[in-house]
Amino acid sequence: GQNIDQPTEMTATEGAIVQINCTYQTSGFNGLFWYQQHAGEAPTFLSYNVLDGLEEKGRFSSFLSRSKGYSYLLLKELQMKDSASYLCAGYNNAGNMLTFGGGTRLMVKP
Amino acid sequence: EPEVTQTPSHQVTQMGQEVILRCVPISNHLYFYWYRQILGQKVEFLVSFYNNEISEKSEIFDDQFSVERPDGSNFTLKIRSTKLEDSAMYFCASSTRDRANDGYTFGSGTRLTVV
Protein backbone atom coordinates (compact mmCIF):
# COMPACT_ATOMS: atom_id res chain seq x y z
CA GLY A 1 0.00 0.00 0.00
CA GLN A 2 0.91 3.66 -0.17
CA ASN A 3 -0.17 5.10 3.17
CA ILE A 4 1.22 8.43 4.27
CA ASP A 5 0.60 9.51 7.85
CA GLN A 6 1.18 12.87 9.46
CA PRO A 7 -0.32 14.59 12.50
CA THR A 8 -3.56 16.45 11.83
CA GLU A 9 -2.75 19.61 13.76
CA MET A 10 0.15 21.28 15.55
CA THR A 11 0.52 24.55 17.41
CA ALA A 12 3.75 26.48 17.91
CA THR A 13 4.88 29.90 19.06
CA GLU A 14 6.23 32.68 16.87
CA GLY A 15 10.03 32.58 16.79
CA ALA A 16 10.19 28.93 17.84
CA ILE A 17 11.17 25.76 15.94
CA VAL A 18 8.65 23.10 14.95
CA GLN A 19 9.14 19.63 13.45
CA ILE A 20 6.36 18.03 11.41
CA ASN A 21 6.76 14.28 11.02
CA CYS A 22 5.62 12.06 8.18
CA THR A 23 5.71 8.29 8.01
CA TYR A 24 4.96 6.23 4.98
CA GLN A 25 4.54 2.65 3.92
CA THR A 26 5.28 2.17 0.33
CA SER A 27 6.57 -0.19 -2.26
CA GLY A 28 6.98 2.42 -4.95
CA PHE A 29 8.10 5.79 -3.69
CA ASN A 30 11.29 7.21 -5.12
CA GLY A 31 11.34 10.36 -3.04
CA LEU A 32 9.38 12.64 -0.77
CA PHE A 33 8.02 16.13 -1.31
CA TRP A 34 6.86 18.72 1.19
CA TYR A 35 4.31 21.34 0.15
CA GLN A 36 2.79 24.29 1.98
CA GLN A 37 -0.90 25.05 1.45
CA HIS A 38 -2.70 28.08 2.79
CA ALA A 39 -6.45 27.69 3.14
CA GLY A 40 -8.19 27.83 -0.22
CA GLU A 41 -4.94 28.14 -2.16
CA ALA A 42 -2.69 25.91 -4.24
CA PRO A 43 0.04 23.77 -2.68
CA THR A 44 3.43 25.43 -3.09
CA PHE A 45 6.66 23.46 -3.36
CA LEU A 46 8.96 23.49 -0.34
CA SER A 47 11.39 20.61 -0.71
CA TYR A 48 12.16 17.25 -2.26
CA ASN A 49 14.27 14.48 -0.74
CA VAL A 50 15.39 11.49 -2.75
CA LEU A 51 18.46 10.52 -0.71
CA ASP A 52 18.70 9.95 3.02
CA GLY A 53 19.69 12.94 5.06
CA LEU A 54 18.89 16.56 5.63
CA GLU A 55 18.20 19.17 2.96
CA GLU A 56 18.30 22.77 4.13
CA LYS A 57 16.64 25.73 2.43
CA GLY A 58 16.72 28.84 4.53
CA ARG A 59 14.31 28.55 7.45
CA PHE A 60 12.99 25.23 6.20
CA SER A 61 14.79 21.87 6.30
CA SER A 62 13.57 18.43 5.33
CA PHE A 63 14.91 15.04 6.37
CA LEU A 64 14.42 11.60 4.88
CA SER A 65 15.19 8.09 6.06
CA ARG A 66 14.15 5.63 3.37
CA SER A 67 14.87 2.54 5.45
CA LYS A 68 12.56 3.80 8.20
CA GLY A 69 9.91 5.26 5.89
CA TYR A 70 10.22 8.52 7.76
CA SER A 71 10.56 12.18 6.92
CA TYR A 72 10.24 15.43 8.75
CA LEU A 73 9.96 19.10 7.90
CA LEU A 74 11.71 21.48 10.26
CA LEU A 75 10.63 25.11 10.38
CA LYS A 76 12.86 27.55 12.25
CA GLU A 77 12.22 31.11 13.45
CA LEU A 78 8.50 30.66 12.98
CA GLN A 79 6.52 33.57 11.63
CA MET A 80 2.78 34.14 11.77
CA LYS A 81 2.60 33.69 7.99
CA ASP A 82 3.85 30.11 8.43
CA SER A 83 0.37 29.21 9.68
CA ALA A 84 -0.76 26.82 6.95
CA SER A 85 -1.17 23.15 6.14
CA TYR A 86 1.99 21.22 5.38
CA LEU A 87 1.57 18.32 3.00
CA CYS A 88 3.87 15.33 2.83
CA ALA A 89 3.74 13.62 -0.56
CA GLY A 90 5.42 10.50 -1.86
CA TYR A 91 6.68 10.58 -5.42
CA ASN A 92 6.23 7.54 -7.63
CA ASN A 93 8.76 7.77 -10.43
CA ALA A 94 7.18 5.03 -12.52
CA GLY A 95 3.79 6.68 -12.55
CA ASN A 96 4.99 10.26 -12.23
CA MET A 97 2.45 11.05 -9.58
CA LEU A 98 2.29 12.37 -6.05
CA THR A 99 0.48 10.58 -3.24
CA PHE A 100 -0.39 13.09 -0.55
CA GLY A 101 -0.86 12.67 3.15
CA GLY A 102 -3.78 14.38 4.82
CA GLY A 103 -1.68 17.40 5.74
CA THR A 104 -0.69 18.90 9.07
CA ARG A 105 -2.39 22.17 9.94
CA LEU A 106 0.12 24.34 11.76
CA MET A 107 -1.08 27.26 13.85
CA VAL A 108 1.56 29.79 14.86
CA LYS A 109 0.61 31.86 17.89
CA PRO A 110 2.16 35.11 19.10
CA GLU B 1 7.88 33.89 -11.48
CA PRO B 2 6.11 31.65 -14.01
CA GLU B 3 2.79 30.28 -12.87
CA VAL B 4 0.10 27.82 -13.83
CA THR B 5 -3.16 29.60 -14.62
CA GLN B 6 -6.57 28.05 -14.12
CA THR B 7 -9.99 29.26 -15.18
CA PRO B 8 -12.60 29.68 -13.92
CA SER B 9 -11.75 30.10 -10.25
CA HIS B 10 -15.27 29.02 -9.29
CA GLN B 11 -17.84 27.01 -11.21
CA VAL B 12 -21.32 26.00 -10.13
CA THR B 13 -23.07 23.44 -12.27
CA GLN B 14 -26.16 21.30 -12.12
CA MET B 15 -25.85 17.57 -11.66
CA GLY B 16 -25.64 15.80 -15.00
CA GLN B 17 -24.16 18.77 -16.83
CA GLU B 18 -20.79 18.75 -18.56
CA VAL B 19 -18.01 21.00 -17.31
CA ILE B 20 -14.65 21.90 -18.76
CA LEU B 21 -11.91 23.16 -16.48
CA ARG B 22 -9.12 25.04 -18.18
CA CYS B 23 -5.44 25.33 -17.39
CA VAL B 24 -2.47 27.05 -18.96
CA PRO B 25 0.69 25.26 -17.75
CA ILE B 26 4.10 26.89 -17.57
CA SER B 27 5.33 27.25 -21.11
CA ASN B 28 8.53 25.16 -20.95
CA HIS B 29 6.99 22.37 -18.89
CA LEU B 30 6.45 19.00 -20.51
CA TYR B 31 4.32 17.12 -17.99
CA PHE B 32 0.80 18.07 -17.00
CA TYR B 33 -1.46 16.83 -14.24
CA TRP B 34 -4.84 17.15 -12.64
CA TYR B 35 -5.40 16.66 -8.91
CA ARG B 36 -8.48 17.26 -6.85
CA GLN B 37 -9.17 18.03 -3.20
CA ILE B 38 -12.57 17.47 -1.70
CA LEU B 39 -13.20 19.96 1.09
CA GLY B 40 -11.37 18.91 4.24
CA GLN B 41 -9.73 15.91 2.59
CA LYS B 42 -6.37 15.10 1.07
CA VAL B 43 -5.17 16.10 -2.37
CA GLU B 44 -5.76 13.19 -4.77
CA PHE B 45 -4.08 12.40 -8.08
CA LEU B 46 -6.35 12.15 -11.11
CA VAL B 47 -4.22 11.98 -14.24
CA SER B 48 -0.82 12.74 -15.74
CA PHE B 49 -0.25 13.71 -19.36
CA TYR B 50 2.90 13.74 -21.46
CA ASN B 51 3.60 13.92 -25.16
CA ASN B 52 -0.09 14.33 -25.98
CA GLU B 53 -1.27 11.25 -24.19
CA ILE B 54 -2.27 10.08 -20.73
CA SER B 55 0.68 8.49 -18.97
CA GLU B 56 -1.06 7.52 -15.74
CA LYS B 57 -4.52 7.78 -14.25
CA SER B 58 -6.10 6.93 -10.92
CA GLU B 59 -9.25 4.97 -10.14
CA ILE B 60 -11.08 8.27 -9.74
CA PHE B 61 -10.43 9.12 -13.41
CA ASP B 62 -13.21 6.98 -14.88
CA ASP B 63 -15.00 7.24 -18.23
CA GLN B 64 -16.70 10.45 -17.17
CA PHE B 65 -13.37 12.25 -17.18
CA SER B 66 -11.20 13.21 -20.12
CA VAL B 67 -8.23 15.48 -20.72
CA GLU B 68 -7.10 17.30 -23.78
CA ARG B 69 -4.36 19.60 -24.94
CA PRO B 70 -6.22 21.32 -27.75
CA ASP B 71 -3.40 23.68 -28.66
CA GLY B 72 0.13 24.52 -27.61
CA SER B 73 -0.84 26.24 -24.40
CA ASN B 74 -4.10 24.93 -22.90
CA PHE B 75 -4.73 21.75 -20.95
CA THR B 76 -8.33 20.91 -20.12
CA LEU B 77 -10.21 18.53 -17.86
CA LYS B 78 -13.73 17.59 -18.94
CA ILE B 79 -16.31 15.94 -16.74
CA ARG B 80 -19.10 14.67 -18.97
CA SER B 81 -21.97 14.21 -16.54
CA THR B 82 -21.23 15.74 -13.17
CA LYS B 83 -22.27 14.11 -9.92
CA LEU B 84 -22.66 15.69 -6.50
CA GLU B 85 -19.50 13.91 -5.34
CA ASP B 86 -17.48 15.66 -8.04
CA SER B 87 -17.68 18.84 -5.97
CA ALA B 88 -14.09 19.65 -5.09
CA MET B 89 -11.18 21.96 -5.75
CA TYR B 90 -9.45 20.87 -8.94
CA PHE B 91 -5.79 21.69 -9.27
CA CYS B 92 -3.82 21.65 -12.48
CA ALA B 93 -0.05 21.19 -12.19
CA SER B 94 2.90 21.05 -14.52
CA SER B 95 6.55 20.07 -14.26
CA THR B 96 9.81 19.83 -16.13
CA ARG B 97 11.78 16.59 -16.31
CA ASP B 98 13.72 17.75 -13.24
CA ARG B 99 10.95 17.26 -10.74
CA ALA B 100 13.44 16.91 -7.91
CA ASN B 101 14.73 20.45 -8.08
CA ASP B 102 11.77 22.17 -9.67
CA GLY B 103 8.94 20.28 -8.05
CA TYR B 104 5.47 20.37 -9.44
CA THR B 105 3.92 23.82 -9.87
CA PHE B 106 0.24 23.91 -9.00
CA GLY B 107 -2.32 26.38 -10.24
CA SER B 108 -4.60 28.21 -7.85
CA GLY B 109 -7.42 25.79 -8.55
CA THR B 110 -11.01 25.74 -9.75
CA ARG B 111 -13.63 25.25 -7.08
CA LEU B 112 -16.35 23.12 -8.65
CA THR B 113 -19.71 22.93 -6.93
CA VAL B 114 -22.27 20.48 -8.29
CA VAL B 115 -25.84 21.18 -7.15
Side-chain angles (χ1 to χ4, degrees), chain A residues 36-80:
Chain A
Q36 181 191 60
Q37 186 180 29
H38 286 96
E41 298 183 13
T44 54
F45 171 67
L46 292 178
S47 67
Y48 175 64
N49 293 70
V50 63
L51 299 175
D52 288 353
L54 189 68
E55 296 274 344
E56 296 188 70
K57 279 187 181 182
R59 293 191 300 116
F60 292 8
S61 303
S62 57
F63 172 84
L64 179 67
S65 168
R66 290 171 296 172
S67 61
K68 295 182 180 177
Y70 169 67
S71 174
Y72 67 73
L73 180 69
L74 195 70
L75 293 79
K76 302 175 190 173
E77 300 169 19
L78 280 172
Q79 303 174 8
M80 298 300 290

Side-chain angles (χ1 to χ4, degrees), chain B residues 32-112:
Chain B
F32 315 116
Y33 316 86
W34 284 99
Y35 286 78
R36 78 170 187 191
Q37 186 175 32
I38 295 170
L39 188 64
Q41 297 186 23
K42 61 179 69 174
V43 177
E44 300 174 291
F45 170 77
L46 292 179
V47 66
S48 58
F49 191 87
Y50 170 71
N51 200 26
N52 285 318
E53 60 183 24
I54 290 173
S55 49
E56 194 71 35
K57 60 183 180 179
S58 71
E59 292 177 353
I60 302 168
F61 195 88
D62 61 22
D63 292 344
Q64 294 300 311
F65 291 85
S66 62
V67 289
E68 195 177 30
R69 189 154 162 81
D71 52 44
S73 59
N74 290 285
F75 180 52
T76 62
L77 175 70
K78 182 193 289 187
I79 309 175
R80 287 190 184 82
S81 178
T82 50
K83 308 185 192 75
L84 294 177
E85 55 264 37
D86 293 327
S87 295
M89 182 75 95
Y90 287 81
F91 292 108
C92 174
S94 66
S95 69
T96 64
R97 286 189 196 279
D98 191 6
R99 291 174 283 274
N101 284 318
D102 299 340
Y104 294 71
T105 303
F106 285 81
S108 54
T110 294
R111 182 169 296 286
L112 176 66

Side-chain angles (χ1 to χ4, degrees), chain A residues 3-108:
Chain A
N3 296 323
I4 296 186
D5 295 309
Q6 47 183 135
T8 307
E9 283 188 357
M10 296 183 72
T11 303
T13 305
E14 192 177 13
I17 299 172
V18 71
Q19 178 174 312
I20 302 174
N21 296 324
C22 171
T23 57
Y24 62 94
Q25 301 167 349
T26 177
S27 59
F29 287 167
N30 303 102
L32 208 88
F33 282 92
W34 283 95
Y35 277 84
Q36 181 191 60
Q37 186 180 29
H38 286 96
E41 298 183 13
T44 54
F45 171 67
L46 292 178
S47 67
Y48 175 64
N49 293 70
V50 63
L51 299 175
D52 288 353
L54 189 68
E55 296 274 344
E56 296 188 70
K57 279 187 181 182
R59 293 191 300 116
F60 292 8
S61 303
S62 57
F63 172 84
L64 179 67
S65 168
R66 290 171 296 172
S67 61
K68 295 182 180 177
Y70 169 67
S71 174
Y72 67 73
L73 180 69
L74 195 70
L75 293 79
K76 302 175 190 173
E77 300 169 19
L78 280 172
Q79 303 174 8
M80 298 300 290
K81 67 178 183 179
D82 296 330
S83 293
S85 287
Y86 291 86
L87 314 181
C88 176
Y91 171 60
N92 181 320
N93 188 46
N96 188 15
M97 67 179 81
L98 298 176
T99 301
F100 283 88
T104 298
R105 190 167 66 183
L106 174 67
M107 289 172 279
V108 180

